[in-house]
Tab-separated table of all heavy atoms in Angstrom:
chain	number	residue	atom	x	y	z
A	1	GLY	N	18.534	5.024	5.099
A	1	GLY	CA	17.699	4.678	4.076
A	1	GLY	C	16.212	4.646	4.492
A	1	GLY	O	15.776	5.555	5.171
A	2	TRP	N	15.471	3.660	4.129
A	2	TRP	CA	14.059	3.660	4.383
A	2	TRP	C	13.490	2.264	4.280
A	2	TRP	O	14.082	1.348	3.694
A	2	TRP	CB	13.225	4.687	3.411
A	2	TRP	CG	13.618	4.320	2.059
A	2	TRP	CD1	12.928	3.480	1.175
A	2	TRP	CD2	14.621	4.960	1.196
A	2	TRP	NE1	13.541	3.555	-0.141
A	2	TRP	CE2	14.585	4.429	-0.053
A	2	TRP	CE3	15.605	5.888	1.508
A	2	TRP	CZ2	15.462	4.764	-1.088
A	2	TRP	CZ3	16.536	6.272	0.528
A	2	TRP	CH2	16.415	5.747	-0.751
A	3	TYR	N	12.214	2.125	4.833
A	3	TYR	CA	11.492	0.916	4.693
A	3	TYR	C	10.315	1.226	3.683
A	3	TYR	O	9.762	2.313	3.764
A	3	TYR	CB	10.891	0.429	5.943
A	3	TYR	CG	11.914	-0.182	6.846
A	3	TYR	CD1	12.397	0.531	7.855
A	3	TYR	CD2	12.259	-1.617	6.740
A	3	TYR	CE1	13.366	0.006	8.714
A	3	TYR	CE2	13.184	-2.142	7.678
A	3	TYR	CZ	13.709	-1.344	8.624
A	3	TYR	OH	14.687	-1.905	9.414
A	4	GLY	N	9.965	0.299	2.838
A	4	GLY	CA	8.851	0.562	1.921
A	4	GLY	C	8.164	-0.755	1.492
A	4	GLY	O	8.812	-1.743	1.488
A	5	ALA	N	6.927	-0.555	1.064
A	5	ALA	CA	6.182	-1.679	0.465
A	5	ALA	C	6.474	-1.701	-0.975
A	5	ALA	O	6.016	-0.760	-1.654
A	5	ALA	CB	4.700	-1.497	0.751
A	6	ASN	N	7.281	-2.734	-1.463
A	6	ASN	CA	7.582	-2.829	-2.890
A	6	ASN	C	6.378	-3.524	-3.584
A	6	ASN	O	6.286	-4.752	-3.403
A	6	ASN	CB	8.953	-3.513	-3.068
A	6	ASN	CG	9.334	-3.559	-4.555
A	6	ASN	OD1	8.550	-3.284	-5.447
A	6	ASN	ND2	10.582	-3.870	-4.800
A	7	LEU	N	5.628	-2.737	-4.275
A	7	LEU	CA	4.441	-3.290	-4.924
A	7	LEU	C	4.750	-4.401	-6.003
A	7	LEU	O	3.942	-5.138	-6.401
A	7	LEU	CB	3.590	-2.181	-5.472
A	7	LEU	CG	3.122	-1.174	-4.421
A	7	LEU	CD1	2.262	-0.067	-5.015
A	7	LEU	CD2	2.374	-1.872	-3.259
A	8	HIS	N	5.972	-4.352	-6.518
A	8	HIS	CA	6.321	-5.319	-7.561
A	8	HIS	C	6.350	-6.806	-7.015
A	8	HIS	O	6.235	-7.717	-7.821
A	8	HIS	CB	7.769	-4.969	-8.112
A	8	HIS	CG	7.730	-3.854	-9.111
A	8	HIS	ND1	8.860	-3.273	-9.505
A	8	HIS	CD2	6.765	-3.233	-9.625
A	8	HIS	CE1	8.527	-2.257	-10.304
A	8	HIS	NE2	7.193	-2.265	-10.472
A	9	TYR	N	6.444	-6.832	-5.632
A	9	TYR	CA	6.450	-8.173	-5.139
A	9	TYR	C	4.971	-8.784	-5.066
A	9	TYR	O	4.758	-9.887	-4.734
A	9	TYR	CB	7.010	-8.170	-3.665
A	9	TYR	CG	8.551	-8.266	-3.748
A	9	TYR	CD1	9.291	-7.094	-3.934
A	9	TYR	CD2	9.299	-9.476	-3.653
A	9	TYR	CE1	10.621	-7.094	-3.961
A	9	TYR	CE2	10.675	-9.449	-3.740
A	9	TYR	CZ	11.352	-8.336	-3.883
A	9	TYR	OH	12.707	-8.280	-3.893
A	10	LEU	N	4.081	-7.927	-5.364
A	10	LEU	CA	2.617	-8.391	-5.355
A	10	LEU	C	2.213	-8.571	-6.833
A	10	LEU	O	2.663	-7.881	-7.712
A	10	LEU	CB	1.714	-7.277	-4.672
A	10	LEU	CG	2.101	-6.878	-3.328
A	10	LEU	CD1	1.230	-5.671	-3.029
A	10	LEU	CD2	1.877	-7.978	-2.350
A	11	SER	N	1.237	-9.458	-6.978
A	11	SER	CA	0.738	-9.722	-8.330
A	11	SER	C	0.011	-8.419	-8.791
A	11	SER	O	-0.467	-7.698	-7.901
A	11	SER	CB	-0.212	-10.887	-8.372
A	11	SER	OG	-1.391	-10.630	-7.601
A	12	PRO	N	-0.176	-8.217	-10.056
A	12	PRO	CA	-0.911	-7.038	-10.494
A	12	PRO	C	-2.270	-6.899	-9.862
A	12	PRO	O	-2.749	-5.810	-9.508
A	12	PRO	CB	-1.002	-7.258	-11.972
A	12	PRO	CG	0.194	-8.037	-12.330
A	12	PRO	CD	0.372	-9.036	-11.225
A	13	LYS	N	-3.033	-8.011	-9.727
A	13	LYS	CA	-4.404	-7.950	-9.070
A	13	LYS	C	-4.269	-7.554	-7.663
A	13	LYS	O	-5.044	-6.742	-7.169
A	13	LYS	CB	-5.068	-9.311	-9.295
A	13	LYS	CG	-6.452	-9.356	-8.697
A	13	LYS	CD	-7.189	-10.563	-9.132
A	13	LYS	CE	-8.532	-10.738	-8.675
A	13	LYS	NZ	-9.419	-9.603	-8.577
A	14	LEU	N	-3.325	-8.114	-6.943
A	14	LEU	CA	-3.099	-7.770	-5.491
A	14	LEU	C	-2.683	-6.271	-5.367
A	14	LEU	O	-3.088	-5.625	-4.374
A	14	LEU	CB	-1.998	-8.773	-4.979
A	14	LEU	CG	-2.247	-9.058	-3.417
A	14	LEU	CD1	-3.679	-9.460	-3.009
A	14	LEU	CD2	-1.237	-10.223	-3.057
A	15	ARG	N	-1.974	-5.689	-6.281
A	15	ARG	CA	-1.521	-4.329	-6.237
A	15	ARG	C	-2.813	-3.535	-6.243
A	15	ARG	O	-2.940	-2.517	-5.473
A	15	ARG	CB	-0.726	-3.900	-7.379
A	15	ARG	CG	0.681	-4.604	-7.439
A	15	ARG	CD	1.345	-4.278	-8.702
A	15	ARG	NE	2.491	-5.224	-8.943
A	15	ARG	CZ	3.263	-5.334	-9.955
A	15	ARG	NH1	3.094	-4.397	-10.930
A	15	ARG	NH2	4.119	-6.179	-10.143
A	16	SER	N	-3.653	-3.840	-7.235
A	16	SER	CA	-4.936	-3.097	-7.291
A	16	SER	C	-5.799	-3.118	-6.077
A	16	SER	O	-6.311	-2.130	-5.486
A	16	SER	CB	-5.790	-3.604	-8.484
A	16	SER	OG	-5.110	-3.338	-9.710
A	17	GLU	N	-5.889	-4.407	-5.487
A	17	GLU	CA	-6.630	-4.535	-4.279
A	17	GLU	C	-6.085	-3.749	-3.071
A	17	GLU	O	-6.813	-3.197	-2.279
A	17	GLU	CB	-6.668	-6.120	-3.950
A	17	GLU	CG	-7.474	-6.911	-4.893
A	17	GLU	CD	-7.497	-8.424	-4.556
A	17	GLU	OE1	-7.047	-8.850	-3.469
A	17	GLU	OE2	-7.790	-9.179	-5.431
A	18	LEU	N	-4.723	-3.796	-3.016
A	18	LEU	CA	-4.203	-2.995	-1.943
A	18	LEU	C	-4.477	-1.594	-2.043
A	18	LEU	O	-4.734	-0.892	-1.060
A	18	LEU	CB	-2.639	-3.292	-1.866
A	18	LEU	CG	-1.794	-2.528	-0.825
A	18	LEU	CD1	-2.317	-3.055	0.507
A	18	LEU	CD2	-0.280	-2.796	-1.022
A	19	LEU	N	-4.235	-0.994	-3.293
A	19	LEU	CA	-4.528	0.533	-3.410
A	19	LEU	C	-5.993	0.795	-3.069
A	19	LEU	O	-6.198	1.727	-2.376
A	19	LEU	CB	-4.183	0.933	-4.806
A	19	LEU	CG	-2.714	0.924	-5.141
A	19	LEU	CD1	-2.588	1.481	-6.632
A	19	LEU	CD2	-2.002	1.764	-4.288
A	20	LEU	N	-6.868	-0.053	-3.388
A	20	LEU	CA	-8.305	0.107	-3.079
A	20	LEU	C	-8.546	0.007	-1.527
A	20	LEU	O	-9.197	0.718	-0.951
A	20	LEU	CB	-9.146	-0.792	-3.818
A	20	LEU	CG	-9.377	-0.555	-5.265
A	20	LEU	CD1	-10.120	-1.655	-6.006
A	20	LEU	CD2	-10.050	0.784	-5.534
A	21	ASP	N	-7.892	-1.013	-0.989
A	21	ASP	CA	-8.065	-1.256	0.508
A	21	ASP	C	-7.586	-0.105	1.311
A	21	ASP	O	-8.157	0.190	2.332
A	21	ASP	CB	-7.170	-2.425	0.934
A	21	ASP	CG	-7.806	-3.820	0.615
A	21	ASP	OD1	-8.910	-3.808	0.123
A	21	ASP	OD2	-7.068	-4.794	0.892
A	22	ILE	N	-6.435	0.544	0.840
A	22	ILE	CA	-5.918	1.686	1.685
A	22	ILE	C	-6.605	2.996	1.311
A	22	ILE	O	-6.370	4.000	1.990
A	22	ILE	CB	-4.511	1.846	1.564
A	22	ILE	CG1	-3.938	2.140	0.158
A	22	ILE	CG2	-3.747	0.598	2.075
A	22	ILE	CD1	-2.556	2.501	-0.041
A	23	GLY	N	-7.448	3.043	0.364
A	23	GLY	CA	-8.237	4.239	-0.142
A	23	GLY	C	-7.144	5.341	-0.534
A	23	GLY	O	-7.349	6.514	-0.176
A	24	TYR	N	-6.174	4.972	-1.303
A	24	TYR	CA	-5.019	5.917	-1.551
A	24	TYR	C	-5.533	7.187	-2.281
A	24	TYR	O	-4.917	8.204	-2.088
A	24	TYR	CB	-4.046	5.079	-2.521
A	24	TYR	CG	-4.415	5.124	-3.980
A	24	TYR	CD1	-3.940	6.082	-4.848
A	24	TYR	CD2	-5.351	4.285	-4.552
A	24	TYR	CE1	-4.202	6.071	-6.147
A	24	TYR	CE2	-5.724	4.303	-5.827
A	24	TYR	CZ	-5.144	5.249	-6.745
A	24	TYR	OH	-5.463	5.194	-8.031
A	25	TYR	N	-6.559	7.126	-3.127
A	25	TYR	CA	-6.844	8.294	-3.888
A	25	TYR	C	-7.482	9.453	-3.021
A	25	TYR	O	-7.265	10.629	-3.316
A	25	TYR	CB	-7.735	7.940	-5.057
A	25	TYR	CG	-7.589	8.985	-6.213
A	25	TYR	CD1	-6.378	9.003	-6.916
A	25	TYR	CD2	-8.620	9.807	-6.524
A	25	TYR	CE1	-6.315	9.952	-7.938
A	25	TYR	CE2	-8.433	10.785	-7.526
A	25	TYR	CZ	-7.269	10.825	-8.235
A	25	TYR	OH	-7.164	11.706	-9.228
A	26	GLU	N	-8.179	9.098	-1.945
A	26	GLU	CA	-8.886	10.063	-1.117
A	26	GLU	C	-8.061	10.532	0.067
A	26	GLU	O	-8.407	11.478	0.746
A	26	GLU	CB	-10.266	9.515	-0.527
A	26	GLU	CG	-11.157	8.995	-1.648
A	26	GLU	CD	-10.921	7.564	-1.942
A	26	GLU	OE1	-10.450	6.721	-1.094
A	26	GLU	OE2	-11.213	7.179	-3.098
A	27	LYS	N	-6.974	9.822	0.423
A	27	LYS	CA	-6.309	10.188	1.590
A	27	LYS	C	-4.958	10.789	1.383
A	27	LYS	O	-4.271	10.606	0.374
A	27	LYS	CB	-6.011	8.754	2.296
A	27	LYS	CG	-7.279	8.158	2.820
A	27	LYS	CD	-7.131	6.929	3.571
A	27	LYS	CE	-8.534	6.315	4.007
A	27	LYS	NZ	-8.505	5.023	4.308
A	28	GLY	N	-4.519	11.597	2.409
A	28	GLY	CA	-3.278	12.098	2.370
A	28	GLY	C	-2.119	11.115	2.689
A	28	GLY	O	-2.395	9.961	3.065
A	29	PHE	N	-0.838	11.573	2.490
A	29	PHE	CA	0.265	10.616	2.580
A	29	PHE	C	0.412	9.949	3.962
A	29	PHE	O	0.771	8.779	4.055
A	29	PHE	CB	1.558	11.194	2.068
A	29	PHE	CG	1.499	11.618	0.594
A	29	PHE	CD1	1.674	13.033	0.226
A	29	PHE	CD2	1.231	10.720	-0.416
A	29	PHE	CE1	1.522	13.332	-1.071
A	29	PHE	CE2	1.272	11.064	-1.673
A	29	PHE	CZ	1.367	12.414	-2.030
A	30	ILE	N	0.189	10.713	5.017
A	30	ILE	CA	0.349	10.095	6.358
A	30	ILE	C	-0.701	9.081	6.560
A	30	ILE	O	-0.438	8.042	7.199
A	30	ILE	CB	0.296	11.261	7.398
A	30	ILE	CG1	1.504	12.335	7.158
A	30	ILE	CG2	0.325	10.701	8.827
A	30	ILE	CD1	2.833	11.634	7.185
A	31	LYS	N	-1.859	9.305	6.155
A	31	LYS	CA	-2.947	8.282	6.344
A	31	LYS	C	-2.730	7.059	5.440
A	31	LYS	O	-2.975	5.930	5.796
A	31	LYS	CB	-4.367	8.885	6.047
A	31	LYS	CG	-4.737	9.843	7.173
A	31	LYS	CD	-6.224	10.255	6.958
A	31	LYS	CE	-6.588	11.170	8.153
A	31	LYS	NZ	-7.961	11.517	8.149
A	32	ILE	N	-2.178	7.254	4.215
A	32	ILE	CA	-1.699	6.146	3.341
A	32	ILE	C	-0.715	5.277	4.054
A	32	ILE	O	-0.913	4.051	4.190
A	32	ILE	CB	-1.198	6.545	2.004
A	32	ILE	CG1	-2.324	7.215	1.218
A	32	ILE	CG2	-0.497	5.503	1.300
A	32	ILE	CD1	-1.889	7.900	-0.100
A	33	ARG	N	0.224	5.952	4.681
A	33	ARG	CA	1.280	5.226	5.468
A	33	ARG	C	0.574	4.344	6.580
A	33	ARG	O	0.928	3.150	6.793
A	33	ARG	CB	2.217	6.178	6.036
A	33	ARG	CG	3.244	5.540	6.995
A	33	ARG	CD	4.104	6.664	7.676
A	33	ARG	NE	4.892	6.075	8.722
A	33	ARG	CZ	5.531	6.827	9.485
A	33	ARG	NH1	5.360	8.148	9.481
A	33	ARG	NH2	6.330	6.216	10.450
A	34	ALA	N	-0.248	4.978	7.372
A	34	ALA	CA	-0.938	4.268	8.441
A	34	ALA	C	-1.787	3.166	7.924
A	34	ALA	O	-1.816	2.083	8.553
A	34	ALA	CB	-1.824	5.280	9.247
A	35	GLU	N	-2.529	3.349	6.802
A	35	GLU	CA	-3.258	2.280	6.243
A	35	GLU	C	-2.382	1.094	5.853
A	35	GLU	O	-2.745	-0.046	5.967
A	35	GLU	CB	-4.149	2.772	5.035
A	35	GLU	CG	-5.130	3.720	5.368
A	35	GLU	CD	-6.377	2.990	6.040
A	35	GLU	OE1	-6.572	1.751	5.835
A	35	GLU	OE2	-7.158	3.637	6.776
A	36	LEU	N	-1.264	1.437	5.251
A	36	LEU	CA	-0.354	0.306	4.817
A	36	LEU	C	0.278	-0.405	5.998
A	36	LEU	O	0.337	-1.640	5.972
A	36	LEU	CB	0.868	0.950	4.010
A	36	LEU	CG	0.504	1.203	2.520
A	36	LEU	CD1	1.737	1.945	1.897
A	36	LEU	CD2	0.201	-0.063	1.781
A	37	GLU	N	0.545	0.263	7.097
A	37	GLU	CA	1.077	-0.383	8.290
A	37	GLU	C	0.152	-1.315	8.822
A	37	GLU	O	0.471	-2.280	9.505
A	37	GLU	CB	1.493	0.707	9.368
A	37	GLU	CG	2.769	1.467	8.846
A	37	GLU	CD	3.162	2.543	9.838
A	37	GLU	OE1	2.286	2.967	10.664
A	37	GLU	OE2	4.226	3.015	9.727
A	38	ASN	N	-1.181	-1.112	8.707
A	38	ASN	CA	-2.189	-1.964	9.311
A	38	ASN	C	-2.788	-2.929	8.307
A	38	ASN	O	-3.684	-3.646	8.608
A	38	ASN	CB	-3.331	-1.105	9.857
A	38	ASN	CG	-2.906	-0.158	11.000
A	38	ASN	OD1	-2.241	-0.693	11.836
A	38	ASN	ND2	-3.305	1.079	10.978
A	39	ASN	N	-2.268	-3.065	7.149
A	39	ASN	CA	-2.768	-3.914	6.061
A	39	ASN	C	-1.930	-5.186	6.096
A	39	ASN	O	-0.612	-5.145	5.989
A	39	ASN	CB	-2.816	-3.242	4.731
A	39	ASN	CG	-3.584	-3.967	3.761
A	39	ASN	OD1	-3.258	-5.183	3.360
A	39	ASN	ND2	-4.588	-3.415	3.156
A	40	PRO	N	-2.525	-6.309	6.157
A	40	PRO	CA	-1.836	-7.584	6.145
A	40	PRO	C	-1.005	-7.855	4.906
A	40	PRO	O	0.028	-8.568	5.011
A	40	PRO	CB	-2.904	-8.740	6.334
A	40	PRO	CG	-4.160	-8.127	5.943
A	40	PRO	CD	-4.018	-6.577	6.240
A	41	ILE	N	-1.374	-7.274	3.845
A	41	ILE	CA	-0.572	-7.531	2.605
A	41	ILE	C	0.833	-6.896	2.653
A	41	ILE	O	1.723	-7.385	2.131
A	41	ILE	CB	-1.378	-6.904	1.370
A	41	ILE	CG1	-2.705	-7.714	1.199
A	41	ILE	CG2	-0.519	-6.986	0.086
A	41	ILE	CD1	-3.591	-7.118	0.137
A	42	THR	N	0.858	-5.815	3.416
A	42	THR	CA	2.183	-5.025	3.378
A	42	THR	C	3.280	-5.851	3.996
A	42	THR	O	4.442	-5.794	3.476
A	42	THR	CB	1.945	-3.801	4.306
A	42	THR	OG1	0.899	-3.042	3.818
A	42	THR	CG2	3.237	-2.938	4.380
A	43	SER	N	2.962	-6.707	5.002
A	43	SER	CA	4.064	-7.536	5.613
A	43	SER	C	4.776	-8.412	4.528
A	43	SER	O	5.962	-8.678	4.720
A	43	SER	CB	3.532	-8.329	6.744
A	43	SER	OG	2.620	-9.330	6.226
A	44	ALA	N	4.118	-8.769	3.457
A	44	ALA	CA	4.619	-9.745	2.508
A	44	ALA	C	5.567	-8.925	1.471
A	44	ALA	O	6.299	-9.672	0.759
A	44	ALA	CB	3.612	-10.366	1.784
């Protein structure tokens, strides 16, 4: 299987904050993954 950050566990506001924090729109998928691994929100 796989591990993933299920965004549904975050409030709608926190989802937006997380996407902005990781700079999802400007980055490639590998960098998005790295950003998520280093973001404190992901653990939750």
Side-chain angles (χ1 to χ4, degrees):
W2 52 88
Y3 287 97
N6 184 345
L7 303 181
H8 285 165
Y9 282 82
L10 304 174
S11 69
K13 184 166 177 42
L14 211 47
R15 295 174 198 178
S16 295
E17 288 176 19
L18 180 63
L19 288 182
L20 288 171
D21 282 354
I22 66 172
Y24 83 98
Y25 205 69
E26 304 88 30
K27 295 183 179 161
F29 295 119
I30 299 305
K31 287 190 178 186
I32 288 171
R33 172 188 175 192
E35 289 287 335
L36 280 172
E37 287 176 344
N38 295 316
N39 193 297
I41 296 172
T42 305
S43 63

